[in-house]
């Protein structure tokens, strides 16, 4: 009787978050993975670290080292970014080598790569040329190939998959609309089923889509719409629901070909409009049987799919930022030293490098789960939102390191386009604001909590038996977890049971402590806020932050373990863990401050907040790690290679660059990396000179000034001097920024400045002329 009364009271009060039909499909899609361990309050790290951690197969590695590198060599990223045209030879090469077929089974002509391999290739191409990468990302992510592979009829598989694999069909996916962005389930696109004159069931579509990547050049569209069937011709009712059908370019009533102009690298993206577009019911993906199943299909594929393409681009961007900022800091000198030796610069480099390590560990761990059959929607959403945001922050740090070389545009600015393009990843495939404030904790608290989903289902079904059992379990869970938290607080997690990993175990104890607090706070939020969680987005956003940084910290340790606990990488791991725990601590503080004005909220803001602050998870200890972590990308060795992974860097022949003509035609990444390599070669020479100066064998001056004396005194050889001269020459060239004539700057020939503008270096203007209003004459 007590449980019946409680259940009725909760139903009446709408105490649990209300779950709509579309939300239920999202909640039921996929699986609970390591996120469930965090919500449990007692994560089993031994079990977590025994989870698979993938490596590329020999066939995948051969493709990465061969065709992917060859494709990059065919494309000049600056030329592509400015002309917005992919060379035809590159497009043909992609079709011949199977770049559109990574998802497609080999039986249909596809390469059928693992999620890890697909993501690795996407990371490489996105870091090299975002425009080029979209031609690979879209065919190999959510869209025609993936949906047909999982849900298509046999006839659809036989027809479409081989033609998608060889590039005959270039697909795009039409979901987003002017009034349906993050709230994709509210699409206004409509399809009405009818019988034509021959008695065949067809669908008349009307829709307006926007922000559709590859729409201007695609010839096959997967269109999402709400299907209405007034005569119930398909047997799914009058309002069948969201459906996905294939529409071919050239179909009467279909308008496509216009471009949006995305910020940064302007990849192909545009609107699609359909006015009375008629398609056969057989073009529904999965056939008429799958009418109304479109939202379920999308949620099931997004459950893991968000962990693939956009996190790959984020990792690629992070690697590029690490490589560029480290090389530039080594090459660029100020105050008589490389700026890499300055502590302010080292702080930026260390953060970039550690976050690149963390992001790669997160990427591979999640992809390993996908390849092992998991489809974790919460982790997938976290990776999409937090890795793209992390990449944006670290590209900004790289811009700070490169300073003027990062803000002056042109072919030699190798970080600026990535900085400008970063908001694209933040916005697409579920805007990060929505993913953080609604999806991550809203979905995680219900789905990953040990009992919440069962209770919500029992309340909805008025199932007293399930409700009673689940509520008893939840009460027991809260009692045990609260006791565990008190013990953790008193001991600062010292007695948590965790694996023994040299240099890492103390952090695992802190993560166990954090999980216990997180589980306790989740219970308090569900009790205190309950059905109002959707409206309390500040609170849920901070819960999302705490969850995300715990998951990324765990993934960092998983990488360290999987790679054999390489001691040289321990400072990277420790920095990443310190950084993550600090983020979790800040999130907890914000959670305590946002519980509300009732009695529990006041307790949280006072007593709870006080105990949290006097016993924090971490302090500012990572400063001691900065010098060694910063150096990882200012040198070139096995550790640097591990951090940069498969970043497509050009091959350098320094002897070739001794030619002024060759050097003049070398730009961008190749120019910087040549200077970096030459500088590293000359380090030993510079060390000899500095040592001789300290021994007072040379007069004080710059290294360049002392080099001639050192040569004359036999301190260095002629070969040493040549290495130093080459490094100086290439370094000076590498720090130069691009210059443009007025015609190039204004984009037209015959442009000059009108006389009267005082400037000594402007063509056609006499120095010292009276200052007048600047005019441009074309």
């Amino acid at each position: 009787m007590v449980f019946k009364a409680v259940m009725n009271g909760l139903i009446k009060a709408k105490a649990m978050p209300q779950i709509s039909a579309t939300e239920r499909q999202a909640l039921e899609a996929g699986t609970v993975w390591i996120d469930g361990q965090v919500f449990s309050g007692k994560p089993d790290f031994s079990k977590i670290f025994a989870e698979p951690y993938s490596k590329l197969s020999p066939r995948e590695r051969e493709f990465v080292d061969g065709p992917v590198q060859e494709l990059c060599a065919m494309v000049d990223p600056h030329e592509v970014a400015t002309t917005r045209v992919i060379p035809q030879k590159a497009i043909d090469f992609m079709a011949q080598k199977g770049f559109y077929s990574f998802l497609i089974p080999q039986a249909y002509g596809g390469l059928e790569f693992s999620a890890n391999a697909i993501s690795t290739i996407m990371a490489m191409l996105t870091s090299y040329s975002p425009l080029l990468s979209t031609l690979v990302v879209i065919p190999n992510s959510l869209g025609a190939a993936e949906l047909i592979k999982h849900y298509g009829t046999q006839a659809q598989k036989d027809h479409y998959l081989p033609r998608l694999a060889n590039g005959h069909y270039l697909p795009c996916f039409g979901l987003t609309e002017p009034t349906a962005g993050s709230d994709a389930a509210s699409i206004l696109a409509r399809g009405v089923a009818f019988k034509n004159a021959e008695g065949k069931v067809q669908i008349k579509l009307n829709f307006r889509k926007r922000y559709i990547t590859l729409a201007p050049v695609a010839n096959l569209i997967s269109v999402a719409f709400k299907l209405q069937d007034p005569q119930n011709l398909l047997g799914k009712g009058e309002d069948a629901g969201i459906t996905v059908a294939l529409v071919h370019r050239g179909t009467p009533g279909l308008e496509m070909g216009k471009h949006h102009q995305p910020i940064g690298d302007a990849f192909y993206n545009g609107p699609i409009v359909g006015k009375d577009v008629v398609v056969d019911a057989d073009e529904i993906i999965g056939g008429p049987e799958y009418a109304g199943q479109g939202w379920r299909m999308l949620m099931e594929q997004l459950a893991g799919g968000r962990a693939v393409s956009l996190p790959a681009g984020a990792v690629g961007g992070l690697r590029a930022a690490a490589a560029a900022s480290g090389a530039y800091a080594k090459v660029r000198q100020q105050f008589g030293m490389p700026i890499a030796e300055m502590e302010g610069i080292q702080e930026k480099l260390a953060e970039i490098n550690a976050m690149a390590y963390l992001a790669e560990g997160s990427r591979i761990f999640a992809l390993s789960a996908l390849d092992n059959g998991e489809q974790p929607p919460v982790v997938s959403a976290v990776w999409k939102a937090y890795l793209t945001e992390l990449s944006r922050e670290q590209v900004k740090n790289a811009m700070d390191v490169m300073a003027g070389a990062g803000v002056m545009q042109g072919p030699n600015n190798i970080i600026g386009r990535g900085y400008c393009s970063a908001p694209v990843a933040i916005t697409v495939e579920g805007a990060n604001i929505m993913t953080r404030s609604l999806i991550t904790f809203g979905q995680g608290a219900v789905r990953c909590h040990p009992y919440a989903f069962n209770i919500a289902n029992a309340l909805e079904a008025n199932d007293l038996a399930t409700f009673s059992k689940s509520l008893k379990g939840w009460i027991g869970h809260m009692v045990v977890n609260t006791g565990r938290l008190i013990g953790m607080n008193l001991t600062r997690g010292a007695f948590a049971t965790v694996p023994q990993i040299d240099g890492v175990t103390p952090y695992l104890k802190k993560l166990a402590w954090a999980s216990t607090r997180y589980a306790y706070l989740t219970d308090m939020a569900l009790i205190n806020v309950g059905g109002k969680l959707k409206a309390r987005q500040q609170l849920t956003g901070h819960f999302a932050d705490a969850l995300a940084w715990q998951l990324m910290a765990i993934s960092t340790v998983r990488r360290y373990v999987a790679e054999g606990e390489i001691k040289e990488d321990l400072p990277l791991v420790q920095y990443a863990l310190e950084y993550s725990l600090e983020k979790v601590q800040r999130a907890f503080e914000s959670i305590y401050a946002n519980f509300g004005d009732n009695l529990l909220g006041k307790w949280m803001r006072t007593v709870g907040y006080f105990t949290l602050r006097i016993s924090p998870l971490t302090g500012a200890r990572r400063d001691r790690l900065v010098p060694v972590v910063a150096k990882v990308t200012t040198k070139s060795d096995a550790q640097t290679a591990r951090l940069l992974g498969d970043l497509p860097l050009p091959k350098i022949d320094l002897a070739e660059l001794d030619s002024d003509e060759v050097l003049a035609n070398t730009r961008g990444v190749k120019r910087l990396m040549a200077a970096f390599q030459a500088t590293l070669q000359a380090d030993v020479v510079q060390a000899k000179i500095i040592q001789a100066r300290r021994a007072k064998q040379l007069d004080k001056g710059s290294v360049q000034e002392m080099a001639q004396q050192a040569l004359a005194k036999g301190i260095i050889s002629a070969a040493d001097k040549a290495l130093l001269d080459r490094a100086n020459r290439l370094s000076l060239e590498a720090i130069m920024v691009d210059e443009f004539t007025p015609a190039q700057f204004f984009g037209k020939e015959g442009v000059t400045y009108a006389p009267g503008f005082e400037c000594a270096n402007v063509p056609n203007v006499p120095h010292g002329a009276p200052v007048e209003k600047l005019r441009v004459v074309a």
Side-chain angles (χ1 to χ4, degrees):
M1 292 297 292
V2 173
F3 286 105
K4 178 68 173 176
V6 171
M7 185 176 77
N8 290 337
L10 292 175
I11 293 173
K12 185 177 180 180
K14 297 182 179 179
M16 291 298 290
Q18 301 300 298
I19 304 172
S20 68
T22 53
E23 288 172 326
R24 179 167 294 281
Q25 287 179 326
L27 283 168
E28 292 176 347
T31 57
V32 176
W33 186 47
I34 63 169
D35 41 342
Q37 295 264 9
V38 174
F39 276 94
S40 76
K42 191 179 180 181
D44 184 344
F45 290 116
S46 294
K47 182 178 179 181
I48 291 172
F49 298 154
E51 289 277 341
Y53 195 83
S54 299
K55 292 183 179 180
L56 300 184
S57 70
R59 184 171 68 93
E60 292 166 342
R61 171 51 62 187
E62 183 180 4
F63 190 87
V64 166
D65 293 340
V68 179
Q69 297 286 356
E70 292 176 56
L71 177 62
C72 291
M74 292 180 183
V75 175
D76 182 323
H78 178 73
E79 183 177 343
V80 166
T82 52
T83 66
R84 302 172 184 170
V85 176
I86 303 293
Q88 187 61 46
K89 65 177 182 178
I91 293 174
D92 294 341
F93 180 83
M94 291 164 68
Q96 293 164 7
K97 296 297 182 179
F99 277 83
Y100 305 123
S101 73
F102 301 156
L103 286 169
I104 297 173
Q106 294 183 58
Y108 294 97
L111 291 175
E112 199 172 1
F113 282 163
S114 66
N116 185 13
I118 295 171
S119 174
T120 297
I121 296 165
M122 290 176 176
M124 294 174 67
L125 294 178
T126 304
S127 68
Y128 189 77
S129 169
L131 195 160
L132 176 65
S133 74
T134 58
L135 290 176
V136 176
V137 169
I138 299 304
N140 291 291
S141 57
L142 181 65
E146 185 166 24
L147 294 178
I148 291 171
K149 181 177 84 169
H150 290 288
Y151 309 103
T153 65
Q154 191 58 52
Q156 288 172 344
K157 292 177 181 178
D158 291 341
H159 175 79
Y160 286 107
L161 292 181
R163 291 167 176 81
L164 285 163
N166 65 22
H168 176 82
Y169 286 129
L170 185 63
C172 66
F173 185 68
L175 178 61
T176 306
E177 299 177 3
T179 57
S182 296
D183 183 14
S186 68
I187 56 175
L188 297 179
R190 291 293 184 270
V192 180
F194 68 97
K195 279 188 178 181
N196 64 13
E198 289 77 33
K200 188 173 186 178
V201 179
Q202 295 185 305
I203 302 170
K204 182 181 290 186
L205 298 169
N206 283 278
F207 56 85
R208 179 178 292 275
K209 305 289 184 178
R210 67 172 179 176
Y211 303 153
I212 310 304
T213 301
L214 294 191
V217 296
N219 57 11
L220 182 66
I221 314 160
S222 306
V223 176
F225 60 93
K226 288 184 177 177
L227 176 61
Q228 296 172 341
D229 188 1
Q231 301 174 42
N232 197 22
L233 299 172
L234 300 174
K236 302 294 182 178
E238 293 185 16
D239 292 306
I242 294 176
T243 302
V244 180
L246 297 165
V247 181
H248 292 251
R249 193 184 192 99
T251 301
L254 183 65
E255 299 177 12
M256 57 191 305
K258 293 182 179 179
H259 290 258
H260 298 311
Q261 187 170 325
I263 193 170
D265 274 353
F267 56 91
Y268 304 145
N269 185 283
I272 307 174
V273 178
K275 297 178 181 178
D276 295 337
V277 175
V278 176
V279 298
D280 292 341
D282 289 341
E283 293 293 351
I284 294 173
I285 294 181
E289 179 184 347
Y290 275 78
Q293 297 297 307
W295 189 251
R296 178 178 68 84
M297 292 157 56
L298 299 180
M299 290 302 99
E300 287 176 352
Q301 296 314 307
L302 279 174
R306 280 197 179 102
V308 181
S309 58
L310 289 169
V315 168
L318 267 165
R319 287 173 176 166
S325 58
Y328 187 84
K330 181 68 175 177
V331 166
R332 175 67 164 158
Q333 293 202 9
Q334 291 285 272
F335 307 106
M337 69 176 78
I339 64 172
E341 296 179 12
M342 299 177 181
E343 289 186 354
I345 297 294
Q346 288 178 350
E347 284 184 315
K348 299 288 186 179
L349 295 178
E351 186 174 321
I352 296 169
N353 293 344
M355 292 304 99
Y357 186 96
L358 172 148
E360 174 69 348
S362 300
R363 182 186 75 88
I364 295 185
F365 197 18
L367 295 167
S368 303
L370 296 185
D371 288 331
N372 196 45
E374 299 283 354
Q375 290 285 324
V378 174
V379 174
S380 187
V382 165
W383 268 211
K384 185 275 165 185
Y386 286 84
L387 293 185
T388 55
E389 185 61 47
L390 188 60
S391 180
R392 175 164 69 171
E393 287 300 309
Q394 300 316 317
V395 169
K396 184 176 72 174
N397 280 338
M399 289 283 286
D400 290 347
V401 171
M402 299 185 73
V407 300
M408 293 300 165
Q409 292 283 42
N412 288 305
N413 184 337
I414 60 178
I415 205 73
R417 288 198 306 273
Y419 176 79
C420 293
S421 297
V424 174
I426 303 297
T427 301
V428 301
E429 212 169 289
N432 283 4
I433 291 176
M434 181 199 71
T435 303
R436 173 181 178 267
S437 60
L438 283 175
I439 295 178
T440 301
F441 186 68
Q443 192 169 356
V446 177
R447 183 66 192 277
C448 302
H449 188 278
Y451 301 99
F453 197 32
N454 288 338
I455 289 178
N457 287 334
L459 289 174
E460 187 172 312
N462 202 12
D463 181 350
L464 180 60
T466 301
F467 174 79
S468 301
K469 180 180 178 181
S470 299
L471 184 59
K472 289 176 184 176
W474 191 354
I475 292 170
H477 166 76
M478 284 193 290
V479 170
V480 171
N481 198 62
T482 301
R484 185 185 301 118
L485 179 59
I486 292 171
M488 289 280 196
N489 286 343
L490 292 174
T491 64
R492 293 184 53 80
F495 298 109
T497 303
V498 299
Q500 296 300 304
I501 303 173
D502 187 34
V504 175
T505 295
Y507 297 102
L508 292 179
K509 291 178 181 290
K510 296 286 184 64
L511 285 169
W513 180 18
S515 172
T516 300
R517 187 184 298 277
Y518 191 77
Y520 166 79
L521 291 173
T522 298
D523 286 334
M524 294 302 101
L526 289 172
I527 292 170
N528 188 54
V529 182
K532 298 179 182 179
L533 268 178
K534 293 178 187 177
R536 297 290 303 279
Q537 294 177 20
Q538 276 190 297
L539 180 63
T540 59
H542 296 309
F543 267 106
D545 295 340
L547 175 63
W549 285 101
Q550 287 178 82
L551 290 172
M552 290 190 288
I554 291 169
S555 298
T556 300
V557 181
R558 180 67 187 98
R559 175 182 180 178
Y560 183 63
V561 171
E563 293 181 351
E565 299 178 30
I566 303 169
K567 295 306 178 187
E568 186 181 32
D569 290 345
L570 185 58
L572 282 163
V573 176
Q574 292 175 330
Y575 186 108
L577 293 175
E578 293 272 6
Y579 189 96
S580 300
L581 287 168
E582 183 178 312
K583 292 283 190 179
V584 175
Q585 173 72 19
R586 298 288 86 80
F588 281 159
E589 291 173 7
S590 297
I591 290 169
Y592 274 88
N594 276 278
F595 255 90
D597 294 325
N598 57 17
L599 186 60
L600 178 60
K602 291 176 182 178
W603 171 270
M604 289 289 187
R605 290 200 307 275
T606 54
V607 177
Y609 188 78
F610 176 74
T611 60
L612 179 71
R613 291 300 302 271
I614 64 171
S615 187
L617 282 169
T618 187
R621 294 189 294 273
R622 71 173 184 273
D623 284 356
R624 75 189 189 283
L625 299 167
V626 164
V628 65
V629 175
K631 287 180 181 177
V632 176
T633 49
T634 62
K635 57 188 177 71
S636 180
D637 58 13
Q639 186 185 30
T640 313
R642 285 195 300 276
L643 187 69
L644 299 183
D646 290 301
L647 184 69
L649 293 173
K651 295 180 180 179
I652 307 294
D653 181 351
L654 290 178
E656 180 184 55
L657 295 177
D658 289 337
S659 162
D660 289 339
E661 182 180 355
V662 173
L663 180 58
N665 291 310
T666 301
R667 61 187 186 186
V669 176
K670 187 172 183 178
R671 190 182 72 163
L672 175 60
M673 290 303 163
F676 178 52
Q677 187 172 318
T679 300
L680 291 175
Q681 287 185 0
D683 267 355
V684 64
V685 181
Q686 183 164 303
K688 290 179 184 178
I689 293 172
I690 292 173
Q691 185 177 2
R693 173 67 188 90
R694 288 172 179 168
K696 298 184 179 180
Q697 295 175 274
L698 299 172
D699 296 333
K700 188 175 181 180
S702 68
V703 172
Q704 290 82 3
E705 291 169 339
M706 292 186 288
Q708 195 61 43
Q709 294 181 53
L711 177 62
K713 293 183 178 182
I715 296 170
I716 63 173
S717 66
D720 288 338
K721 180 67 163 51
L723 286 178
L724 191 62
D725 289 343
R726 172 192 276 169
N728 292 336
R729 173 172 171 266
L730 295 181
S731 295
L732 180 60
E733 189 68 24
I735 65 173
M736 297 298 291
V737 298
D738 296 287
E739 302 170 356
F740 302 95
T741 66
Q744 292 170 328
F745 183 81
F746 288 103
K748 59 175 70 175
E749 295 295 331
V751 174
T752 187
Y753 297 94
F757 177 61
E758 184 177 20
C759 180
N761 297 315
V762 175
N764 305 322
V765 180
H767 180 55
V771 178
E772 298 175 2
K773 184 178 181 181
L774 172 63
R775 295 182 294 115
V776 177
V777 179

